[in-house]
Amino acid sequence: MASPVEPEFRGARRRLVETLQDKGIRDLAVLRAVDMVPRHIFVPETVRHRAYEDSALPIGNGQTISQPSVHARSVEHLQLTGKEKVLEIGTGSGYQTALLAELAAQVFSVERYRELLDRARPILQQANVRNVSLSLGDGTLGWREYAPYDGIVVSAGAPHVPPALKEQLAEGGRLLIPIGDREEQMLTLFTKRGGRLERRDITPVRFVPLIGAGGWPG
Ligand code: SAH
């Protein structure tokens, strides 16, 4: 990715990569992606100076860009090799979309707020991300047209796995989703084997709620 690199952010981004290593992120492809993607262009200007802290930040519409370590851990669990087709629910700022685009062949991302999608689209272009398709709508219904997906990552907290996402996951595919109540969830990894989902708990997290037909009421 030929990123619009501003030298003043390079050092900060390198330090973020070191912080993620200290926090246990081991996958070199994931660390390289964090080193490549200019997170500062995905966050609002008012918080740009904090873009390379390991913190969640507000992105508008009452939503937040997650902590870089949460993003890194999530994408690490998808174990991408560069060949996969991935579905992301909750484009938000588009930052994780850009990380996924570095790590997979094709990324499909669904967001329910038009304002966020309209903001993310030109930023992804500016970051030279080409292998991403964006869609406005209810991501709890997935994106049937391009299914099945080798990986699905849900960036908002759900009461349970939306049935459409289980259906649209390929055999052997991995689904990462925060499951719990509206305040606190367990980041959960599901692997599809023999048409069934095997469950593994990863870590407690706090995500904004997944609003939609297969999630929480709005
Ligand atoms: N990965 C994003 C996370 C943004 S927060 C980032 O780091 O910027 C979660 C996002 O999920 C919000 O943008 C919210 O609007 C979106 N969202 C919530 N429910 C959704 C649904 N049913 N379909 C699509 N997007 C949804």
Side-chain angles (χ1 to χ4, degrees), residues 85-147:
K85 189 162 59 164
V86 174
L87 176 67
E88 176 187 51
I89 308 305
T91 316
S93 66
Y95 174 68
Q96 179 175 264
T97 322
L99 289 181
L100 291 169
E102 285 284 327
L103 295 161
Q106 266 185 301
V107 180
F108 297 87
S109 185
V110 185
E111 169 58 51
R112 65 186 284 264
Y113 279 114
R114 182 181 297 278
E115 293 90 333
L116 293 178
L117 208 60
D118 285 349
R119 198 173 161 273
R121 198 184 298 275
I123 297 175
L124 285 165
Q125 272 165 11
Q126 193 190 338
N128 241 335
V129 176
R130 298 273 178 266
N131 50 339
V132 165
S133 306
L134 302 177
S135 171
L136 179 70
D138 179 3
T140 65
L141 303 174
W143 192 341
R144 200 166 293 280
E145 202 180 343
Y146 300 101

Tab-separated table of all heavy atoms in Angstrom, residues 85-147:
chain	number	residue	atom	x	y	z
A	85	LYS	N	-11.634	-14.437	1.324
A	85	LYS	CA	-12.720	-13.471	1.136
A	85	LYS	C	-13.307	-13.231	2.527
A	85	LYS	O	-13.699	-14.178	3.203
A	85	LYS	CB	-13.757	-14.112	0.208
A	85	LYS	CG	-14.820	-13.184	-0.262
A	85	LYS	CD	-15.529	-13.723	-1.491
A	85	LYS	CE	-16.175	-15.057	-1.239
A	85	LYS	NZ	-17.151	-15.448	-2.242
A	86	VAL	N	-13.313	-11.967	2.949
A	86	VAL	CA	-13.712	-11.643	4.322
A	86	VAL	C	-14.894	-10.678	4.316
A	86	VAL	O	-14.953	-9.748	3.508
A	86	VAL	CB	-12.525	-11.003	5.085
A	86	VAL	CG1	-12.936	-10.522	6.458
A	86	VAL	CG2	-11.374	-12.002	5.213
A	87	LEU	N	-15.814	-10.900	5.240
A	87	LEU	CA	-16.947	-9.997	5.445
A	87	LEU	C	-16.766	-9.283	6.782
A	87	LEU	O	-16.510	-9.930	7.802
A	87	LEU	CB	-18.264	-10.804	5.466
A	87	LEU	CG	-19.539	-10.034	5.774
A	87	LEU	CD1	-19.877	-9.036	4.654
A	87	LEU	CD2	-20.723	-10.999	5.973
A	88	GLU	N	-16.879	-7.953	6.761
A	88	GLU	CA	-16.797	-7.155	7.990
A	88	GLU	C	-18.149	-6.498	8.226
A	88	GLU	O	-18.698	-5.891	7.306
A	88	GLU	CB	-15.720	-6.075	7.830
A	88	GLU	CG	-15.630	-5.133	9.026
A	88	GLU	CD	-14.685	-3.951	8.788
A	88	GLU	OE1	-14.804	-3.259	7.758
A	88	GLU	OE2	-13.834	-3.720	9.666
A	89	ILE	N	-18.648	-6.606	9.451
A	89	ILE	CA	-19.903	-5.930	9.786
A	89	ILE	C	-19.569	-4.751	10.695
A	89	ILE	O	-19.020	-4.948	11.787
A	89	ILE	CB	-20.897	-6.886	10.497
A	89	ILE	CG1	-21.104	-8.185	9.693
A	89	ILE	CG2	-22.223	-6.172	10.753
A	89	ILE	CD1	-21.546	-8.001	8.273
A	90	GLY	N	-19.912	-3.522	10.244
A	90	GLY	CA	-19.593	-2.309	11.005
A	90	GLY	C	-18.316	-1.675	10.489
A	90	GLY	O	-17.263	-1.759	11.118
A	91	THR	N	-18.399	-1.030	9.325
A	91	THR	CA	-17.227	-0.390	8.713
A	91	THR	C	-16.679	0.696	9.634
A	91	THR	O	-15.460	0.842	9.765
A	91	THR	CB	-17.616	0.270	7.362
A	91	THR	OG1	-18.446	-0.623	6.626
A	91	THR	CG2	-16.399	0.664	6.556
A	92	GLY	N	-17.582	1.471	10.243
A	92	GLY	CA	-17.171	2.577	11.117
A	92	GLY	C	-16.220	3.518	10.407
A	92	GLY	O	-16.515	4.041	9.334
A	93	SER	N	-15.033	3.701	10.984
A	93	SER	CA	-14.023	4.595	10.401
A	93	SER	C	-13.394	4.015	9.139
A	93	SER	O	-12.803	4.742	8.348
A	93	SER	CB	-12.913	4.826	11.422
A	93	SER	OG	-12.222	3.604	11.654
A	94	GLY	N	-13.455	2.689	8.976
A	94	GLY	CA	-12.791	2.038	7.844
A	94	GLY	C	-11.379	1.566	8.170
A	94	GLY	O	-10.723	0.950	7.330
A	95	TYR	N	-10.921	1.840	9.393
A	95	TYR	CA	-9.530	1.460	9.734
A	95	TYR	C	-9.321	-0.059	9.716
A	95	TYR	O	-8.396	-0.556	9.080
A	95	TYR	CB	-9.143	2.038	11.104
A	95	TYR	CG	-7.782	1.554	11.569
A	95	TYR	CD1	-6.626	1.951	10.914
A	95	TYR	CD2	-7.661	0.672	12.648
A	95	TYR	CE1	-5.376	1.491	11.318
A	95	TYR	CE2	-6.416	0.208	13.059
A	95	TYR	CZ	-5.286	0.620	12.397
A	95	TYR	OH	-4.044	0.154	12.785
A	96	GLN	N	-10.221	-0.770	10.400
A	96	GLN	CA	-10.060	-2.238	10.409
A	96	GLN	C	-10.259	-2.807	8.997
A	96	GLN	O	-9.622	-3.795	8.628
A	96	GLN	CB	-11.047	-2.885	11.377
A	96	GLN	CG	-10.914	-4.388	11.398
A	96	GLN	CD	-11.795	-5.038	12.436
A	96	GLN	OE1	-11.358	-5.337	13.552
A	96	GLN	NE2	-13.053	-5.236	12.076
A	97	THR	N	-11.125	-2.152	8.223
A	97	THR	CA	-11.338	-2.552	6.825
A	97	THR	C	-10.001	-2.520	6.082
A	97	THR	O	-9.671	-3.442	5.330
A	97	THR	CB	-12.330	-1.578	6.141
A	97	THR	OG1	-13.352	-1.210	7.073
A	97	THR	CG2	-12.948	-2.185	4.910
A	98	ALA	N	-9.237	-1.447	6.305
A	98	ALA	CA	-7.932	-1.302	5.644
A	98	ALA	C	-6.945	-2.371	6.130
A	98	ALA	O	-6.176	-2.914	5.337
A	98	ALA	CB	-7.375	0.095	5.898
A	99	LEU	N	-6.978	-2.692	7.430
A	99	LEU	CA	-6.108	-3.767	7.942
A	99	LEU	C	-6.461	-5.080	7.257
A	99	LEU	O	-5.583	-5.813	6.784
A	99	LEU	CB	-6.284	-3.943	9.458
A	99	LEU	CG	-5.753	-2.873	10.397
A	99	LEU	CD1	-6.031	-3.279	11.849
A	99	LEU	CD2	-4.260	-2.635	10.206
A	100	LEU	N	-7.764	-5.373	7.185
A	100	LEU	CA	-8.218	-6.625	6.566
A	100	LEU	C	-7.812	-6.677	5.093
A	100	LEU	O	-7.419	-7.727	4.583
A	100	LEU	CB	-9.746	-6.770	6.698
A	100	LEU	CG	-10.268	-7.002	8.119
A	100	LEU	CD1	-11.792	-6.845	8.156
A	100	LEU	CD2	-9.868	-8.388	8.631
A	101	ALA	N	-7.880	-5.521	4.429
A	101	ALA	CA	-7.537	-5.457	3.003
A	101	ALA	C	-6.063	-5.807	2.773
A	101	ALA	O	-5.699	-6.342	1.731
A	101	ALA	CB	-7.857	-4.076	2.449
A	102	GLU	N	-5.221	-5.501	3.773
A	102	GLU	CA	-3.799	-5.858	3.686
A	102	GLU	C	-3.585	-7.363	3.854
A	102	GLU	O	-2.590	-7.904	3.396
A	102	GLU	CB	-3.004	-5.154	4.798
A	102	GLU	CG	-2.755	-3.693	4.572
A	102	GLU	CD	-1.642	-3.456	3.543
A	102	GLU	OE1	-0.705	-4.271	3.471
A	102	GLU	OE2	-1.733	-2.467	2.809
A	103	LEU	N	-4.534	-8.010	4.556
A	103	LEU	CA	-4.307	-9.398	5.003
A	103	LEU	C	-5.098	-10.439	4.233
A	103	LEU	O	-4.832	-11.629	4.351
A	103	LEU	CB	-4.673	-9.500	6.495
A	103	LEU	CG	-3.772	-8.681	7.422
A	103	LEU	CD1	-4.446	-8.460	8.769
A	103	LEU	CD2	-2.433	-9.383	7.604
A	104	ALA	N	-6.111	-9.995	3.461
A	104	ALA	CA	-6.978	-10.931	2.734
A	104	ALA	C	-7.028	-10.534	1.269
A	104	ALA	O	-6.529	-9.478	0.877
A	104	ALA	CB	-8.375	-10.903	3.341
A	105	ALA	N	-7.647	-11.391	0.443
A	105	ALA	CA	-7.729	-11.087	-0.988
A	105	ALA	C	-8.826	-10.057	-1.265
A	105	ALA	O	-8.627	-9.110	-2.025
A	105	ALA	CB	-7.996	-12.362	-1.774
A	106	GLN	N	-9.976	-10.264	-0.630
A	106	GLN	CA	-11.127	-9.396	-0.896
A	106	GLN	C	-11.876	-9.137	0.398
A	106	GLN	O	-12.095	-10.072	1.186
A	106	GLN	CB	-12.097	-10.125	-1.824
A	106	GLN	CG	-11.894	-9.828	-3.301
A	106	GLN	CD	-12.991	-10.516	-4.074
A	106	GLN	OE1	-13.127	-11.730	-4.008
A	106	GLN	NE2	-13.800	-9.736	-4.778
A	107	VAL	N	-12.283	-7.895	0.591
A	107	VAL	CA	-13.018	-7.540	1.798
A	107	VAL	C	-14.358	-6.920	1.415
A	107	VAL	O	-14.426	-6.038	0.552
A	107	VAL	CB	-12.216	-6.542	2.671
A	107	VAL	CG1	-12.980	-6.185	3.934
A	107	VAL	CG2	-10.842	-7.110	3.015
A	108	PHE	N	-15.413	-7.403	2.055
A	108	PHE	CA	-16.753	-6.849	1.888
A	108	PHE	C	-17.158	-6.290	3.241
A	108	PHE	O	-17.048	-6.995	4.247
A	108	PHE	CB	-17.721	-7.945	1.425
A	108	PHE	CG	-17.346	-8.489	0.074
A	108	PHE	CD1	-16.432	-9.526	-0.040
A	108	PHE	CD2	-17.850	-7.917	-1.079
A	108	PHE	CE1	-16.038	-10.005	-1.283
A	108	PHE	CE2	-17.473	-8.382	-2.329
A	108	PHE	CZ	-16.567	-9.423	-2.433
A	109	SER	N	-17.575	-5.025	3.283
A	109	SER	CA	-17.853	-4.402	4.571
A	109	SER	C	-19.201	-3.693	4.538
A	109	SER	O	-19.505	-2.959	3.603
A	109	SER	CB	-16.726	-3.415	4.911
A	109	SER	OG	-16.915	-2.879	6.193
A	110	VAL	N	-20.001	-3.929	5.580
A	110	VAL	CA	-21.360	-3.375	5.656
A	110	VAL	C	-21.455	-2.426	6.847
A	110	VAL	O	-21.006	-2.765	7.949
A	110	VAL	CB	-22.411	-4.508	5.828
A	110	VAL	CG1	-23.829	-3.937	5.782
A	110	VAL	CG2	-22.233	-5.594	4.763
A	111	GLU	N	-22.045	-1.243	6.634
A	111	GLU	CA	-22.236	-0.243	7.699
A	111	GLU	C	-23.673	0.271	7.637
A	111	GLU	O	-24.228	0.451	6.566
A	111	GLU	CB	-21.226	0.906	7.503
A	111	GLU	CG	-21.449	2.135	8.359
A	111	GLU	CD	-21.438	1.862	9.864
A	111	GLU	OE1	-20.490	1.236	10.350
A	111	GLU	OE2	-22.416	2.266	10.543
A	112	ARG	N	-24.279	0.530	8.822
A	112	ARG	CA	-25.681	0.977	8.811
A	112	ARG	C	-25.837	2.502	8.760
A	112	ARG	O	-26.914	2.991	8.468
A	112	ARG	CB	-26.456	0.393	9.989
A	112	ARG	CG	-25.990	0.852	11.352
A	112	ARG	CD	-26.733	0.102	12.441
A	112	ARG	NE	-28.086	0.591	12.625
A	112	ARG	CZ	-28.434	1.495	13.549
A	112	ARG	NH1	-27.527	2.008	14.354
A	112	ARG	NH2	-29.682	1.877	13.672
A	113	TYR	N	-24.772	3.254	9.066
A	113	TYR	CA	-24.861	4.715	9.001
A	113	TYR	C	-24.260	5.243	7.704
A	113	TYR	O	-23.061	5.060	7.453
A	113	TYR	CB	-24.104	5.363	10.160
A	113	TYR	CG	-24.859	5.389	11.451
A	113	TYR	CD1	-24.412	4.653	12.546
A	113	TYR	CD2	-26.016	6.149	11.584
A	113	TYR	CE1	-25.105	4.675	13.749
A	113	TYR	CE2	-26.718	6.178	12.787
A	113	TYR	CZ	-26.253	5.435	13.856
A	113	TYR	OH	-26.937	5.457	15.034
A	114	ARG	N	-25.085	5.926	6.904
A	114	ARG	CA	-24.604	6.490	5.645
A	114	ARG	C	-23.458	7.483	5.869
A	114	ARG	O	-22.481	7.494	5.135
A	114	ARG	CB	-25.759	7.189	4.906
A	114	ARG	CG	-25.358	7.757	3.556
A	114	ARG	CD	-26.519	8.461	2.866
A	114	ARG	NE	-27.616	7.552	2.559
A	114	ARG	CZ	-27.649	6.743	1.482
A	114	ARG	NH1	-26.651	6.737	0.642
A	114	ARG	NH2	-28.672	5.960	1.278
A	115	GLU	N	-23.564	8.317	6.931
A	115	GLU	CA	-22.520	9.330	7.179
A	115	GLU	C	-21.158	8.669	7.364
A	115	GLU	O	-20.149	9.162	6.859
A	115	GLU	CB	-22.834	10.155	8.436
A	115	GLU	CG	-24.042	11.047	8.338
A	115	GLU	CD	-25.315	10.336	8.790
A	115	GLU	OE1	-25.386	9.079	8.679
A	115	GLU	OE2	-26.245	11.012	9.241
A	116	LEU	N	-21.134	7.569	8.112
A	116	LEU	CA	-19.849	6.893	8.368
A	116	LEU	C	-19.304	6.272	7.089
A	116	LEU	O	-18.110	6.381	6.792
A	116	LEU	CB	-20.009	5.842	9.473
A	116	LEU	CG	-20.317	6.396	10.862
A	116	LEU	CD1	-20.505	5.270	11.874
A	116	LEU	CD2	-19.208	7.333	11.340
A	117	LEU	N	-20.198	5.658	6.311
A	117	LEU	CA	-19.755	5.030	5.065
A	117	LEU	C	-19.236	6.085	4.085
A	117	LEU	O	-18.204	5.893	3.441
A	117	LEU	CB	-20.932	4.264	4.454
A	117	LEU	CG	-20.568	3.072	3.587
A	117	LEU	CD1	-19.791	2.036	4.384
A	117	LEU	CD2	-21.818	2.446	2.992
A	118	ASP	N	-19.949	7.218	4.018
A	118	ASP	CA	-19.536	8.294	3.101
A	118	ASP	C	-18.194	8.886	3.519
A	118	ASP	O	-17.462	9.432	2.698
A	118	ASP	CB	-20.596	9.411	3.063
A	118	ASP	CG	-21.821	8.995	2.255
A	118	ASP	OD1	-21.748	7.947	1.576
A	118	ASP	OD2	-22.844	9.699	2.318
A	119	ARG	N	-17.904	8.811	4.803
A	119	ARG	CA	-16.628	9.329	5.288
A	119	ARG	C	-15.518	8.308	5.035
A	119	ARG	O	-14.416	8.651	4.623
A	119	ARG	CB	-16.763	9.633	6.792
A	119	ARG	CG	-15.707	10.552	7.298
A	119	ARG	CD	-15.923	10.984	8.728
A	119	ARG	NE	-14.650	11.475	9.198
A	119	ARG	CZ	-13.721	10.695	9.733
A	119	ARG	NH1	-13.937	9.408	9.902
A	119	ARG	NH2	-12.569	11.218	10.102
A	120	ALA	N	-15.824	7.033	5.275
A	120	ALA	CA	-14.795	5.983	5.147
A	120	ALA	C	-14.367	5.782	3.690
A	120	ALA	O	-13.185	5.543	3.413
A	120	ALA	CB	-15.315	4.664	5.723
A	121	ARG	N	-15.317	5.910	2.764
A	121	ARG	CA	-15.024	5.579	1.360
A	121	ARG	C	-13.838	6.364	0.779
A	121	ARG	O	-12.868	5.766	0.314
A	121	ARG	CB	-16.292	5.777	0.514
A	121	ARG	CG	-16.261	5.073	-0.826
A	121	ARG	CD	-17.513	5.392	-1.640
A	121	ARG	NE	-18.759	4.963	-1.024
A	121	ARG	CZ	-19.267	3.731	-1.136
A	121	ARG	NH1	-18.634	2.814	-1.829
A	121	ARG	NH2	-20.407	3.430	-0.552
A	122	PRO	N	-13.860	7.722	0.835
A	122	PRO	CA	-12.723	8.464	0.279
A	122	PRO	C	-11.420	8.253	1.064
A	122	PRO	O	-10.330	8.331	0.488
A	122	PRO	CB	-13.168	9.930	0.345
A	122	PRO	CG	-14.312	9.972	1.296
A	122	PRO	CD	-14.950	8.622	1.280
A	123	ILE	N	-11.537	7.982	2.358
A	123	ILE	CA	-10.317	7.760	3.146
A	123	ILE	C	-9.653	6.452	2.716
A	123	ILE	O	-8.432	6.369	2.580
A	123	ILE	CB	-10.620	7.770	4.661
A	123	ILE	CG1	-11.138	9.157	5.076
A	123	ILE	CG2	-9.382	7.399	5.475
A	123	ILE	CD1	-11.591	9.262	6.504
A	124	LEU	N	-10.463	5.428	2.454
A	124	LEU	CA	-9.903	4.151	1.975
A	124	LEU	C	-9.227	4.354	0.619
A	124	LEU	O	-8.180	3.781	0.350
A	124	LEU	CB	-11.004	3.086	1.897
A	124	LEU	CG	-11.437	2.530	3.257
A	124	LEU	CD1	-12.760	1.774	3.156
A	124	LEU	CD2	-10.361	1.619	3.836
A	125	GLN	N	-9.844	5.212	-0.217
A	125	GLN	CA	-9.215	5.511	-1.517
A	125	GLN	C	-7.893	6.225	-1.322
A	125	GLN	O	-6.883	5.892	-1.940
A	125	GLN	CB	-10.148	6.373	-2.370
A	125	GLN	CG	-11.102	5.527	-3.192
A	125	GLN	CD	-12.256	6.322	-3.771
A	125	GLN	OE1	-12.245	7.547	-3.734
A	125	GLN	NE2	-13.247	5.615	-4.282
A	126	GLN	N	-7.914	7.206	-0.409
A	126	GLN	CA	-6.705	7.973	-0.116
A	126	GLN	C	-5.587	7.050	0.388
A	126	GLN	O	-4.413	7.266	0.103
A	126	GLN	CB	-7.057	9.019	0.952
A	126	GLN	CG	-6.018	10.094	1.153
A	126	GLN	CD	-6.350	10.926	2.386
A	126	GLN	OE1	-7.506	10.985	2.836
A	126	GLN	NE2	-5.347	11.574	2.948
A	127	ALA	N	-5.976	6.011	1.120
A	127	ALA	CA	-4.996	5.049	1.648
A	127	ALA	C	-4.634	3.993	0.608
A	127	ALA	O	-3.924	3.040	0.912
A	127	ALA	CB	-5.537	4.389	2.910
A	128	ASN	N	-5.172	4.169	-0.612
A	128	ASN	CA	-4.834	3.262	-1.720
A	128	ASN	C	-5.356	1.845	-1.551
A	128	ASN	O	-4.770	0.896	-2.066
A	128	ASN	CB	-3.315	3.201	-1.895
A	128	ASN	CG	-2.937	3.680	-3.265
A	128	ASN	OD1	-3.742	3.615	-4.205
A	128	ASN	ND2	-1.710	4.152	-3.403
A	129	VAL	N	-6.464	1.709	-0.813
A	129	VAL	CA	-7.066	0.394	-0.602
A	129	VAL	C	-7.996	0.104	-1.774
A	129	VAL	O	-8.922	0.867	-2.030
A	129	VAL	CB	-7.848	0.361	0.732
A	129	VAL	CG1	-8.558	-0.961	0.905
A	129	VAL	CG2	-6.908	0.607	1.890
A	130	ARG	N	-7.744	-0.975	-2.489
A	130	ARG	CA	-8.492	-1.245	-3.726
A	130	ARG	C	-9.407	-2.465	-3.646
A	130	ARG	O	-10.365	-2.566	-4.389
A	130	ARG	CB	-7.505	-1.483	-4.879
A	130	ARG	CG	-6.623	-0.289	-5.191
A	130	ARG	CD	-7.317	0.649	-6.181
A	130	ARG	NE	-6.495	1.819	-6.436
A	130	ARG	CZ	-6.600	2.968	-5.780
A	130	ARG	NH1	-7.494	3.103	-4.820
A	130	ARG	NH2	-5.815	3.986	-6.058
A	131	ASN	N	-9.070	-3.411	-2.760
A	131	ASN	CA	-9.785	-4.691	-2.747
A	131	ASN	C	-10.918	-4.736	-1.726
A	131	ASN	O	-11.155	-5.754	-1.079
A	131	ASN	CB	-8.793	-5.838	-2.491
A	131	ASN	CG	-7.909	-5.571	-1.278
A	131	ASN	OD1	-7.751	-4.424	-0.852
A	131	ASN	ND2	-7.342	-6.617	-0.707
A	132	VAL	N	-11.626	-3.600	-1.581
A	132	VAL	CA	-12.712	-3.499	-0.609
A	132	VAL	C	-13.995	-3.073	-1.307
A	132	VAL	O	-13.976	-2.175	-2.152
A	132	VAL	CB	-12.347	-2.465	0.484
A	132	VAL	CG1	-13.567	-2.069	1.294
A	132	VAL	CG2	-11.269	-3.002	1.407
A	133	SER	N	-15.111	-3.719	-0.974
A	133	SER	CA	-16.431	-3.278	-1.433
A	133	SER	C	-17.246	-2.899	-0.213
A	133	SER	O	-17.253	-3.632	0.783
A	133	SER	CB	-17.146	-4.405	-2.176
A	133	SER	OG	-16.329	-4.889	-3.213
A	134	LEU	N	-17.908	-1.739	-0.285
A	134	LEU	CA	-18.679	-1.237	0.859
A	134	LEU	C	-20.163	-1.282	0.541
A	134	LEU	O	-20.565	-1.075	-0.604
A	134	LEU	CB	-18.271	0.205	1.171
A	134	LEU	CG	-16.795	0.453	1.480
A	134	LEU	CD1	-16.540	1.945	1.689
A	134	LEU	CD2	-16.369	-0.327	2.719
A	135	SER	N	-20.968	-1.519	1.579
A	135	SER	CA	-22.415	-1.546	1.380
A	135	SER	C	-23.119	-0.905	2.570
A	135	SER	O	-22.723	-1.106	3.724
A	135	SER	CB	-22.868	-2.998	1.213
A	135	SER	OG	-24.269	-3.080	1.229
A	136	LEU	N	-24.173	-0.146	2.279
A	136	LEU	CA	-24.986	0.474	3.325
A	136	LEU	C	-26.137	-0.470	3.638
A	136	LEU	O	-26.851	-0.894	2.720
A	136	LEU	CB	-25.536	1.810	2.803
A	136	LEU	CG	-26.422	2.590	3.765
A	136	LEU	CD1	-25.603	3.141	4.925
A	136	LEU	CD2	-27.127	3.728	3.036
A	137	GLY	N	-26.319	-0.809	4.917
A	137	GLY	CA	-27.450	-1.672	5.249
A	137	GLY	C	-27.269	-2.360	6.584
A	137	GLY	O	-26.383	-2.019	7.363
A	138	ASP	N	-28.156	-3.321	6.841
A	138	ASP	CA	-28.146	-4.081	8.087
A	138	ASP	C	-27.230	-5.294	7.940
A	138	ASP	O	-27.592	-6.289	7.315
A	138	ASP	CB	-29.579	-4.522	8.415
A	138	ASP	CG	-29.636	-5.351	9.691
A	138	ASP	OD1	-28.577	-5.533	10.340
A	138	ASP	OD2	-30.734	-5.823	10.033
A	139	GLY	N	-26.060	-5.178	8.528
A	139	GLY	CA	-25.052	-6.237	8.429
A	139	GLY	C	-25.428	-7.520	9.145
A	139	GLY	O	-24.797	-8.557	8.924
A	140	THR	N	-26.455	-7.484	10.015
A	140	THR	CA	-26.853	-8.744	10.671
A	140	THR	C	-27.435	-9.712	9.640
A	140	THR	O	-27.571	-10.901	9.913
A	140	THR	CB	-27.884	-8.529	11.811
A	140	THR	OG1	-29.107	-8.037	11.259
A	140	THR	CG2	-27.364	-7.544	12.844
A	141	LEU	N	-27.760	-9.184	8.454
A	141	LEU	CA	-28.265	-10.039	7.368
A	141	LEU	C	-27.120	-10.495	6.455
A	141	LEU	O	-27.345	-11.206	5.479
A	141	LEU	CB	-29.330	-9.284	6.555
A	141	LEU	CG	-30.516	-8.772	7.382
A	141	LEU	CD1	-31.449	-7.925	6.530
A	141	LEU	CD2	-31.286	-9.948	7.996
A	142	GLY	N	-25.897	-10.057	6.768
A	142	GLY	CA	-24.735	-10.421	5.962
A	142	GLY	C	-24.746	-9.732	4.616
A	142	GLY	O	-25.332	-8.643	4.466
A	143	TRP	N	-24.061	-10.337	3.643
A	143	TRP	CA	-24.045	-9.814	2.266
A	143	TRP	C	-24.070	-11.065	1.385
A	143	TRP	O	-23.047	-11.632	1.035
A	143	TRP	CB	-22.789	-8.967	2.031
A	143	TRP	CG	-22.796	-8.153	0.780
A	143	TRP	CD1	-23.592	-8.329	-0.323
A	143	TRP	CD2	-21.962	-7.019	0.476
A	143	TRP	NE1	-23.313	-7.385	-1.273
A	143	TRP	CE2	-22.313	-6.565	-0.812
A	143	TRP	CE3	-20.949	-6.350	1.167
A	143	TRP	CZ2	-21.690	-5.480	-1.422
A	143	TRP	CZ3	-20.331	-5.279	0.560
A	143	TRP	CH2	-20.703	-4.833	-0.713
A	144	ARG	N	-25.323	-11.476	1.113
A	144	ARG	CA	-25.580	-12.800	0.529
A	144	ARG	C	-24.901	-13.000	-0.831
A	144	ARG	O	-24.396	-14.071	-1.144
A	144	ARG	CB	-27.101	-12.976	0.381
A	144	ARG	CG	-27.569	-14.403	0.250
A	144	ARG	CD	-29.079	-14.506	0.447
A	144	ARG	NE	-29.493	-14.198	1.817
A	144	ARG	CZ	-29.406	-15.050	2.818
A	144	ARG	NH1	-28.931	-16.254	2.622
A	144	ARG	NH2	-29.799	-14.707	4.024
A	145	GLU	N	-24.884	-11.918	-1.614
A	145	GLU	CA	-24.403	-11.996	-2.992
A	145	GLU	C	-23.005	-12.611	-3.131
A	145	GLU	O	-22.734	-13.319	-4.087
A	145	GLU	CB	-24.385	-10.562	-3.517
A	145	GLU	CG	-24.422	-10.435	-5.001
A	145	GLU	CD	-24.408	-8.951	-5.395
A	145	GLU	OE1	-24.686	-8.074	-4.552
A	145	GLU	OE2	-24.104	-8.702	-6.574
A	146	TYR	N	-22.121	-12.316	-2.186
A	146	TYR	CA	-20.729	-12.762	-2.315
A	146	TYR	C	-20.387	-13.923	-1.380
A	146	TYR	O	-19.240	-14.355	-1.324
A	146	TYR	CB	-19.769	-11.588	-2.089
A	146	TYR	CG	-19.994	-10.487	-3.095
A	146	TYR	CD1	-20.709	-9.348	-2.765
A	146	TYR	CD2	-19.531	-10.626	-4.402
A	146	TYR	CE1	-20.949	-8.351	-3.704
A	146	TYR	CE2	-19.772	-9.633	-5.343
A	146	TYR	CZ	-20.473	-8.510	-4.986
A	146	TYR	OH	-20.717	-7.536	-5.915
A	147	ALA	N	-21.373	-14.433	-0.635
A	147	ALA	CA	-21.144	-15.549	0.297
A	147	ALA	C	-20.809	-16.824	-0.495
A	147	ALA	O	-21.191	-16.921	-1.670
A	147	ALA	CB	-22.403	-15.744	1.145
